[in-house]
Amino acid sequence: MTGYFWITSDISPTAVAGNNIDVATNPTLTFAAGTPAGTISAGGLQTIVSEPVIAISSPNQIPDGNIIQNTTNNVIYSFQNDVTVSDATITGLTITTSGTYASTDLINLKAWYSADNTFDAGTDVVLSTKTTSLGQGTHLFPGWTNQTISSGSTGYIFITAEVPCATTGGNTIVVNAVLPTEIAFLAGSASGSTSAGGTQTIELLTPADATALAASVLEASSVISWTAPAGCYSQVMIVVKDGSSVTATPSGDGSAYTANLAFGIGTGFDGGYVVYKGTTSPQTVTGINQRYYVLYKDLHQEWYNMEPGNRNNGYSGCAVTDQ
């Protein structure tokens, strides 16, 4: 088997910067039995340097704004590290969040490093991604990738948030001011102060239209099909009405409506009936002779006619005539 020896040194706080130390070739090794053979090379020359001086600040803090449902890399906080005397290596970061948001409103929080004060997800470096316990409170970024900031330069840290489709519109998230003690460095410690980030409000997307709306004509029934809306949506609702188009507008999140593919059994709506709520196309509606149907989709209390481009109160439909 192989055994290894490590030689370490503790450096005095009063050590003189610029002095150096190394371990010469072939240090003497004494064993209880046997005689060592072979050679040992000299260790590298280690130079004593002064601790870096690190000043943190946030002159270009992220202002109040909106972060959009189903989006990634939304910048919610930033601060800068001005380094002098010697290079500084940042080895960890803790932040504290507040607001009205819940952990389910986020997919992750990321800490990024940038050499300039403009965030660019294509060129900046992800130092850590946090995907659990994302609710309000203290967040220690896990699996941190150490980042060196050269003496005489400034390094920038950005915090981003990823938001899912299943989020709550109007909820807010704030990153509180980061303290010097919440930033870890390999050597030296930070001084200065930062400000809190602006309040970021989660904004829901306007649902997109469903496309490729079609209906077949069968014996007292119709097979209705569509292509699901792109992006975030909860479900599609189909309303069938006898003899005329639907003109009313559904309300709420859809929970007040009960669907049944047999015409006349589901929740009544504007003289017609709700025949389907869900996400699976196609669907066969039975018990119809000559009807008009209109398709809607819903998302967080947003309802729109599925017919492309139709976003008014007219909600026209397609006639389906039994042959």
Side-chain angles (χ1 to χ4, degrees), residues 4 9 16-17 19 34 52 55 121 124 128 138 163 168 170 179 219-220 227 232 235 245 263 268 273 302 313:
Y4 298 88
S9 176
V16 178
N19 284 355
D124 294 342
S128 175
T138 300
V163 182
T168 303
L179 304 175
E219 182 70 26
T227 298
C232 299
Q235 59 183 193
S245 62
F263 177 75
Y273 297 93
E302 296 283 353
N313 292 327

Side-chain angles (χ1 to χ4, degrees), residues 208-215 222-227 229 235-241 246 248 250 261 269 273 275-278 280-283 285 292-298 303-308 310-312 315-318 320:
D209 289 311
T211 57
L213 174 63
S222 178
V223 177
I224 301 172
S225 63
W226 64 94
T227 298
Q235 59 183 193
V236 169
M237 186 172 93
I238 304 174
V239 176
V240 176
K241 184 178 180 180
V246 176
L261 287 168
F269 182 82
Y273 297 93
V275 296
Y276 180 71
K277 289 196 311 178
T280 303
S281 172
Q283 295 293 324
V285 181
Y292 280 83
Y293 70 84
V294 175
L295 301 175
Y296 296 92
K297 64 185 175 64
D298 80 273
W303 294 75
Y304 294 100
N305 192 333
M306 279 188 62
E307 190 169 3
N310 199 350
R311 288 175 179 263
N312 52 47
Y315 292 108
S316 61
C318 298
V320 178

Side-chain angles (χ1 to χ4, degrees), residues 51-52 54 87-89 185-189:
E51 285 191 339
I54 308 148
D87 296 350
T89 300
F185 290 92
L186 188 63
S189 56

Side-chain angles (χ1 to χ4, degrees), residues 233-274:
Y233 78 104
S234 295
Q235 59 183 193
V236 169
M237 186 172 93
I238 304 174
V239 176
V240 176
K241 184 178 180 180
D242 185 6
S244 62
S245 62
V246 176
T247 58
T249 303
S251 61
D253 61 3
S255 61
Y257 303 96
T258 300
N260 194 300
L261 287 168
F263 177 75
I265 298 178
T267 300
F269 182 82
D270 193 37
Y273 297 93
V274 177

Side-chain angles (χ1 to χ4, degrees), residues 4-323:
Y4 298 88
F5 293 90
W6 300 92
I7 299 175
T8 65
S9 176
D10 294 336
I11 306 302
S12 168
T14 60
V16 178
N19 284 355
N20 52 62
I21 183 174
D22 66 354
V23 177
T25 303
N26 295 322
T28 301
L29 300 177
T30 302
F31 292 86
T35 302
T39 61
I40 301 174
S41 61
L45 188 67
Q46 306 302 313
T47 301
I48 298 171
V49 298
S50 298
E51 285 191 339
V53 175
I54 308 148
I56 64 171
S57 60
S58 53
N60 300 302
Q61 190 54 271
I62 308 303
D64 293 351
N66 295 328
I67 51 179
I68 308 301
Q69 172 191 35
N70 195 34
T71 55
T72 63
N73 301 330
N74 297 282
V75 180
I76 60 175
Y77 192 76
S78 70
F79 67 92
Q80 67 184 55
N81 305 267
D82 298 307
V83 177
T84 56
V85 179
S86 62
D87 296 350
T89 300
I90 184 169
T91 60
L93 175 65
T94 299
I95 65 171
T96 301
T97 60
S98 57
T100 62
Y101 83 100
S103 61
T104 53
D105 287 324
L106 302 180
I107 294 175
N108 63 51
L109 291 167
K110 293 181 182 178
W112 302 69
Y113 174 79
S114 177
D116 56 48
N117 63 0
T118 300
F119 176 74
D120 186 340
T123 58
D124 294 342
V125 179
V126 178
L127 302 178
S128 175
T129 301
K130 191 172 192 288
T131 59
T132 60
S133 302
L134 298 174
Q136 300 174 43
T138 300
H139 300 278
L140 172 63
F141 280 99
W144 186 270
T145 299
N146 291 352
Q147 175 65 50
T148 298
I149 306 170
S150 300
S151 177
S153 67
T154 299
Y156 299 84
I157 300 296
F158 290 95
I159 306 299
T160 64
E162 182 174 351
V163 182
C165 278
T167 188
T168 303
N171 277 359
T172 60
I173 180 171
V174 176
V175 179
N176 298 352
V178 169
L179 304 175
T181 54
E182 294 176 318
I183 313 167
F185 290 92
L186 188 63
S189 56
S191 63
S193 62
T194 66
S195 61
T199 298
Q200 307 303 314
T201 303
I202 297 173
E203 181 179 335
L204 300 182
L205 291 167
T206 298
D209 289 311
T211 57
L213 174 63
S216 67
V217 178
L218 303 172
E219 182 70 26
S221 65
S222 178
V223 177
I224 301 172
S225 63
W226 64 94
T227 298
C232 299
Y233 78 104
S234 295
Q235 59 183 193
V236 169
M237 186 172 93
I238 304 174
V239 176
V240 176
K241 184 178 180 180
D242 185 6
S244 62
S245 62
V246 176
T247 58
T249 303
S251 61
D253 61 3
S255 61
Y257 303 96
T258 300
N260 194 300
L261 287 168
F263 177 75
I265 298 178
T267 300
F269 182 82
D270 193 37
Y273 297 93
V274 177
V275 296
Y276 180 71
K277 289 196 311 178
T279 60
T280 303
S281 172
Q283 295 293 324
T284 300
V285 181
T286 61
I288 62 174
N289 291 317
Q290 183 177 6
R291 318 289 182 201
Y292 280 83
Y293 70 84
V294 175
L295 301 175
Y296 296 92
K297 64 185 175 64
D298 80 273
L299 170 64
H300 301 291
Q301 301 185 18
E302 296 283 353
W303 294 75
Y304 294 100
N305 192 333
M306 279 188 62
E307 190 169 3
N310 199 350
R311 288 175 179 263
N312 52 47
N313 292 327
Y315 292 108
S316 61
C318 298
V320 178
T321 303
D322 181 33
Q323 302 296 319

